[in-house]
Amino acid sequence: MSGYLTTHVLDTARGCPAQGLKIDLYRIDADSRVLLRSLVTNDDGRTDEQILPSSDFATGTYELVFHAGAYLDACGTPPEDPRFLDVVPIRFGMSQADHYHVPLLLSPFGYSTYRGS
């Protein structure tokens, strides 16, 4: 089995999937940070494709960057200057060829994540 990476973003303040949220995936190698791809969440708060498909999978350290501020602005969440949560980076390791699922539960003033299934 080859590994791959997925996510699911839920807007816990509004009680719905976070549609239209931009996500960047980076690979971290020592002191370098390489952008692998950018995707946007669909109506279900997921990406239409795996964030990192099995054909591109390699073990190592990665970072998902969720553009929460732009999403909150688009939803009409009252703006702050600066916004409390703008860009949410989650750095994690993938140590074996497996399905890694890194969801984000998001609100204007907090977030959480975990290794899902």
Side-chain angles (χ1 to χ4, degrees), residues 69 72-73 76-84 109:
L72 294 168
D73 289 345
T77 302
E80 303 169 282
D81 188 22
R83 188 172 280 289
F84 181 71
F109 300 105

Side-chain angles (χ1 to χ4, degrees), residues 81-93:
D81 188 22
R83 188 172 280 289
F84 181 71
L85 288 179
D86 184 21
V87 175
V88 176
I90 299 174
R91 190 169 288 191
F92 58 96

Side-chain angles (χ1 to χ4, degrees), residues 55-67:
S55 60
D56 298 331
F57 183 86
T59 58
T61 302
Y62 291 84
E63 186 175 78
L64 284 170
V65 176
F66 297 87
H67 295 266

Side-chain angles (χ1 to χ4, degrees), residues 5 24-37 52 56 58-65 88-95:
L5 173 64
D24 296 325
L25 173 65
Y26 293 87
R27 180 168 173 87
I28 309 299
D29 287 314
D31 291 332
S32 69
R33 185 173 176 245
V34 178
L35 178 64
L36 299 179
R37 62 192 317 198
L52 185 64
D56 298 331
T59 58
T61 302
Y62 291 84
E63 186 175 78
L64 284 170
V65 176
V88 176
I90 299 174
R91 190 169 288 191
F92 58 96
M94 297 191 290
S95 60

Side-chain angles (χ1 to χ4, degrees), residues 11 24 33 40 48 79 88 98 107:
D11 183 330
D24 296 325
R33 185 173 176 245
V40 176
D48 289 334
V88 176
D98 200 356
S107 77

Side-chain angles (χ1 to χ4, degrees), residues 3-34:
Y4 61 99
L5 173 64
T6 59
T7 192
H8 190 193
V9 186
L10 297 173
D11 183 330
T12 57
R14 296 174 52 222
C16 63
Q19 176 187 7
L21 190 144
K22 181 182 175 193
I23 304 168
D24 296 325
L25 173 65
Y26 293 87
R27 180 168 173 87
I28 309 299
D29 287 314
D31 291 332
S32 69
R33 185 173 176 245
V34 178

